[in-house]
Amino acid sequence: MDLNPQQEKAVQHKTGPLLLLAGAGTGKTHTLCCRVAKLIQSGVPAHKILMLTFTRKAAEEMKQRIDRLMDQDCPVLAGTFHSIAFNDLKNLGILNNLSGIFDDTSQAKFIRKELKKKCFEAISSYSPREFMRFFSLCTNTMEEEIKIIAAHFPSWLSHSELIHKLKANYCQHKNKLKAYDYDDILCTWSKALEGPNLSLAQQCEYILVDEYQDTSKLQIDILKKLCKQHDNIMAVGDDCQSIYSFRGALPEQISQFSLDFTGAQSLTLEENYRSTQQILDFANKSMLMAKGVIQKKLRSGLDSQGQDPDILFSSYHKTSEKEICKDVYLKRSQGIKFDQQAILYRSTLHCLRLEMELTRQGIPYKKFGSKKITDKSHIKKFAAALSFVFSSEVHQLALNQCLEIIPGLGPKTVEKILLEISNGKQLKDIKLPTKSHDAVHELISFQKMAINKNNLEELIDFTTPLIFNLKEDNRKKLKDIYTISEELRKAQNWDDFYTDIILNMEVDHTDHDELLTLSTIHSAKGKEWQSVHILAVNEGAIPLQSSQNIEEERRLLYVAITRAKKQLKLYVENSKELRESSRFLENLVTLKQSTHKTKHTQNTIVIEPKSNNDFQELTYVSEDRPGTALAQSDMDELTYIPFYD
């Protein structure tokens, strides 16, 4: 086993609680696996060792590594909290009357149905997913409902009684179905661990926990019960990478480990085997002002030297996208394939125009944390409307998609209309149901209009009530619509726009040998790439405008920085919405307003426009329109991915 001195100490640890503070890229998985192998070699039966992770993939990877280290199949009990809990409950006979799992889709469907009731009208505008997050936080933090509302959903305070009633209805419905949601599995497991019968997990003599900083209060309570008889727990984590407070995980859990597990020892891993020292110096500097974490100074264990990270200041949003695409192609020509490069961002809102540019330039990519802009249902529907209005020849598919969103037109009616059109009849001459007559003729009135700001705004005003449920928060979706419209306005020619962008919506890159990665920072955690670009390092983006936890935003930037192995670039935008550079850059570089390259300790480059026209502000989306508002980040989409895989 090739281990550095600190890793060796962790592996050789005898008994009792141990906290292993493992910085990014310091070989924590290797250390964990070597620790398990050492225990087995010392005579501990493999089935008496429990390994808890947060994804099934991580559990499987660690088990495979252990098998390779031991050169044999080792029946270590490894899995996610939820999978181990489920197996324990099943073996104890507690799940005999369970009818099934009340999954995310079923939860959202039930809540959506409840919100349509008259009694819940006052809270009907909130997303079902937000209520699901609230229910989960109540369980995982073990806090009172009113405290959760005050801390995470302050705008709900005036509706707390209604929300309590909705939660009660939700629980009543689950009980009626005899079904569990995923949090119920952990709650039931916690109670079962207090019973007279020992579960399989309780019979284990050693417990190892990965990503301890991501555990909730409920999970820590479970861990205490699991190791009550022996205290042989080894927790591996990094409070600097604690970025899931929205689902009940806090960095303080690391510093409180010795309070939760009396007599705990601690070790720190700071030797990094991923990144160059230049990137690590940059990462260390980004956390100098961090609060609530244990400071670590990462140092590179690699021989190779790299270049300083670049901070690029854009004078116009579009310019940075072209610069990124140019750099992606350059890196590929230098031997860094697309799949070894990544573009990271705080929210999908910050990568919309980049997606358009990637599509235009034919760079294949995969996206994590949310759907591609071109895969979203509302974009396809709006693109169909654009095609109907601006195309010289209306395609039947676009017409079909347009008619499908018109109220009063069912599939059979749409089929009849398309048949009449194929027989030479004009849409305006076809007899339509009364309910759909005005909407269809208003859609026809848009045809052959000029592509300009006013016409596009009118088209958006017409289509949004048809595409969206107006009772829901559609700010993110509207932002997508505005982005597509703005790109069309710049192109000024539908056929060119269709060829460059819309047509590429149908191109499937899933079988491509190498795909560039686009990812939210949350979804990038635990991954690494040779070259990393971080978008929109601005106030309003990192940190997010709506964030109530600035320190977690700082840790998010740190997580993004430490994904890079050799090359790192950060982009500061200067657009209508994002004007100020992020406060987190203050320790990294002295910012100066300049139109030329500036010399600092860190590489800072101003992306200069090719012409004066590039200095024009993006005036298409007016300030008072809802689409200009920065919507919730993709963190909220990740919120609904529970701790299981």
Side-chain angles (χ1 to χ4, degrees):
M1 302 177 192
D2 188 15
L3 300 164
N4 66 37
Q6 286 295 94
Q7 291 173 333
E8 184 69 38
K9 286 181 183 179
V11 169
Q12 297 295 340
H13 178 71
K14 300 298 182 184
T15 57
L18 173 67
L19 173 65
L20 185 61
L21 270 169
T26 56
K28 68 176 179 66
T29 303
H30 178 60
T31 306
L32 268 174
C33 295
C34 289
R35 165 71 172 160
V36 173
K38 182 65 179 178
L39 288 172
I40 296 172
Q41 288 172 350
S42 65
V44 179
H47 67 275
K48 293 291 185 180
I49 300 171
L50 171 63
M51 296 185 72
L52 289 164
T53 68
F54 283 90
T55 66
R56 186 182 299 113
K57 182 180 178 182
E60 290 173 352
E61 180 187 335
M62 283 194 276
K63 196 171 181 315
Q64 289 170 5
R65 285 199 190 190
I66 294 164
D67 289 347
R68 287 197 297 269
L69 284 170
M70 298 302 296
D71 198 24
Q72 65 181 38
D73 182 31
C74 300
V76 173
L77 189 59
T80 63
F81 274 85
H82 286 81
S83 65
I84 298 297
F86 193 85
N87 289 333
D88 253 11
L89 294 174
K90 190 175 178 181
N91 289 326
L92 291 171
I94 295 175
L95 301 182
N96 290 344
N97 295 323
L98 183 69
S99 64
I101 297 297
F102 200 48
D103 63 15
D104 290 0
T105 303
S106 301
Q107 292 172 40
K109 185 178 180 181
F110 170 78
I111 295 170
R112 197 173 288 113
K113 186 178 178 181
E114 287 293 294
L115 293 176
K116 290 179 181 178
K117 293 180 179 178
K118 186 74 175 176
C119 62
F120 292 120
E121 187 175 0
I123 58 173
S124 61
S125 62
Y126 297 117
S127 166
R129 297 283 180 176
E130 285 294 273
F131 291 113
M132 290 163 62
R133 178 159 84 98
F134 168 67
F135 299 160
S136 184
L137 276 171
C138 288
T139 303
N140 282 288
T141 61
M142 303 171 74
E143 294 281 359
E144 295 176 8
E145 291 178 17
I146 193 67
K147 288 184 178 180
I148 298 298
I149 292 174
H152 297 271
F153 309 92
S155 62
W156 293 7
L157 283 169
S158 59
H159 305 300
S160 58
E161 289 185 10
L162 273 181
I163 291 165
H164 176 77
K165 183 179 179 182
L166 178 65
K167 186 172 182 288
N169 288 5
Y170 171 79
C171 294
Q172 187 179 4
H173 183 68
K174 284 189 300 177
N175 293 336
K176 183 180 177 181
L177 295 175
K178 293 182 179 179
Y180 282 177
D181 63 22
Y182 294 102
D183 292 322
D184 290 330
I185 295 173
L186 294 185
C187 279
T188 307
W189 191 31
S190 181
K191 292 173 185 175
L193 294 176
E194 297 172 356
N197 299 322
L198 288 179
S199 70
L200 288 175
Q202 281 178 302
Q203 293 173 38
C204 290
E205 299 171 0
Y206 288 85
I207 299 173
L208 297 94
V209 187
D210 191 19
E211 304 289 2
Y212 187 77
Q213 77 280 350
D214 295 338
T215 52
S216 67
K217 190 174 180 180
L218 173 59
Q219 289 168 320
I220 292 173
D221 186 61
I222 288 169
L223 289 171
K224 289 179 183 178
K225 293 172 182 176
L226 285 174
C227 64
K228 189 176 181 180
Q229 301 300 322
H230 52 71
D231 271 346
N232 292 327
I233 179 171
M234 175 177 171
V236 182
D238 181 9
D239 47 3
C240 292
Q241 297 186 71
S242 177
I243 57 173
Y244 296 116
S245 66
F246 59 86
R247 64 184 193 189
L250 298 172
E252 294 82 32
Q253 288 155 190
I254 292 285
S255 58
Q256 291 175 1
F257 184 81
S258 60
L259 299 177
D260 291 321
F261 302 95
T262 306
Q265 298 180 42
S266 66
L267 291 168
T268 304
L269 300 184
E270 295 178 310
E271 190 167 355
N272 177 286
Y273 299 97
R274 174 188 296 158
S275 309
T276 61
Q277 190 59 52
Q278 287 83 352
I279 291 173
L280 296 180
D281 288 342
F282 194 76
N284 292 333
K285 212 182 291 185
S286 73
M287 294 298 287
L288 286 176
M289 302 299 289
K291 300 174 183 177
V293 297
I294 300 169
Q295 287 288 338
K296 289 169 283 293
K297 189 173 183 180
L298 298 179
R299 59 184 183 278
S300 181
L302 305 174
D303 293 331
S304 61
Q305 286 295 307
Q307 58 193 48
D308 288 333
D310 289 330
I311 301 176
L312 296 97
F313 301 90
S314 175
S315 53
Y316 177 53
H317 201 137
K318 184 69 176 290
T319 310
S320 65
E321 295 131 30
K322 289 186 176 179
E323 179 75 17
I324 290 169
C325 290
K326 179 182 175 182
D327 191 73
V328 166
Y329 271 126
L330 176 63
K331 294 287 190 297
R332 189 169 185 263
S333 69
Q334 294 172 346
I336 303 176
K337 295 182 178 180
F338 288 148
D339 57 7
Q340 283 297 309
Q341 301 184 56
I343 299 168
L344 309 182
Y345 41 85
R346 180 65 177 83
S347 165
T348 286
L349 293 178
H350 307 137
C351 78
L352 299 179
R353 291 185 180 86
L354 176 63
E355 281 196 72
M356 304 288 283
E357 191 63 33
L358 290 171
T359 304
R360 182 179 287 112
Q361 296 205 23
I363 297 176
Y365 69 93
K366 55 186 175 183
K367 192 176 181 186
F368 296 95
S370 65
K371 291 182 179 179
K372 290 184 179 182
I373 186 174
T374 51
D375 287 338
K376 297 177 181 179
S377 173
H378 58 279
I379 288 297
K380 290 188 176 182
K381 290 174 181 177
F382 185 65
L386 291 174
S387 182
F388 178 81
V389 171
F390 297 116
S391 179
S392 55
E393 181 181 348
V394 179
H395 300 282
Q396 188 168 358
L397 178 61
L399 179 58
N400 183 39
Q401 290 175 324
C402 278
L403 295 176
E404 283 178 349
I405 66 174
I406 301 293
L409 294 183
K412 289 185 178 180
T413 307
V414 170
E415 190 177 338
K416 288 180 182 178
I417 293 172
L418 293 174
L419 181 61
E420 291 189 57
I421 289 174
S422 66
N423 290 332
K425 211 166 187 178
Q426 295 292 316
L427 179 59
K428 61 184 178 64
D429 300 325
I430 295 174
K431 187 177 180 180
L432 301 166
T434 306
K435 189 177 179 180
S436 57
H437 181 274
D438 291 348
V440 170
H441 281 269
E442 187 172 354
L443 178 64
I444 292 171
S445 70
F446 283 104
Q447 278 192 301
K448 312 306 179 191
M449 289 171 60
I451 300 175
N452 60 41
K453 173 185 172 181
N454 291 334
N455 290 341
L456 284 169
E457 282 188 353
E458 287 181 18
L459 183 60
I460 290 172
D461 289 340
F462 168 70
T463 54
T464 46
L466 305 177
I467 295 173
F468 302 140
N469 178 353
L470 297 183
K471 289 186 177 181
E472 296 180 355
D473 184 351
N474 297 301
R475 289 178 296 175
K476 272 182 160 184
K477 295 178 181 178
L478 279 169
K479 183 69 179 178
D480 294 342
I481 296 291
Y482 290 133
T483 300
I484 288 282
S485 302
E486 190 175 310
E487 291 299 313
L488 173 59
R489 186 173 66 90
K490 290 175 183 176
Q492 280 297 308
N493 182 291
W494 168 257
D495 292 329
D496 290 345
F497 183 74
Y498 180 82
T499 302
D500 289 347
I501 304 296
I502 305 300
L503 201 60
N504 282 334
M505 288 183 184
E506 309 302 325
V507 178
D508 183 7
H509 292 302
T510 53
D511 293 330
H512 203 280
D513 288 340
E514 47 172 308
L515 299 172
L516 176 71
T517 294
L518 267 64
S519 176
T520 59
I521 299 172
H522 281 92
S523 293
K525 189 168 175 288
K527 299 173 184 175
E528 59 184 36
W529 295 271
Q530 294 287 337
S531 175
V532 170
H533 302 262
I534 305 175
L535 301 185
V537 189
N538 292 74
E539 289 293 305
I542 307 175
L544 195 70
Q545 189 176 48
S546 59
S547 177
Q548 297 174 339
N549 191 336
I550 296 300
E551 285 305 309
E552 181 158 298
E553 298 290 316
R554 187 193 304 276
R555 295 192 295 271
L556 269 167
L557 179 59
Y558 174 80
V559 167
I561 291 169
T562 53
R563 300 310 96 198
K565 297 170 84 171
K566 290 188 176 181
Q567 295 169 336
L568 175 66
K569 290 190 176 185
L570 294 83
Y571 296 82
V572 179
E573 302 299 347
N574 182 14
S575 66
K576 196 176 184 73
E577 293 167 342
L578 300 175
R579 290 187 178 277
E580 294 182 49
S581 58
S582 172
R583 69 190 75 180
F584 304 140
L585 291 179
E586 291 176 7
N587 288 331
L588 301 176
V589 65
T590 303
L591 303 177
K592 294 181 181 178
Q593 295 299 321
S594 172
T595 55
H596 302 283
K597 291 187 178 182
T598 55
K599 293 183 179 180
H600 299 296
T601 304
Q602 218 60 49
N603 294 340
T604 60
I605 301 170
V606 174
I607 304 175
E608 299 184 9
K610 293 180 180 177
S611 68
N612 291 332
N613 293 334
D614 283 346
F615 280 108
Q616 294 176 356
E617 289 189 341
L618 309 182
T619 55
Y620 168 61
V621 183
S622 59
E623 290 282 2
D624 59 346
R625 297 182 68 85
T628 62
L630 273 175
Q632 281 288 344
S633 82
D634 289 336
M635 174 183 73
D636 293 329
E637 295 180 27
L638 289 172
T639 294
Y640 320 112
I641 303 173
F643 291 148
Y644 61 93
D645 189 0

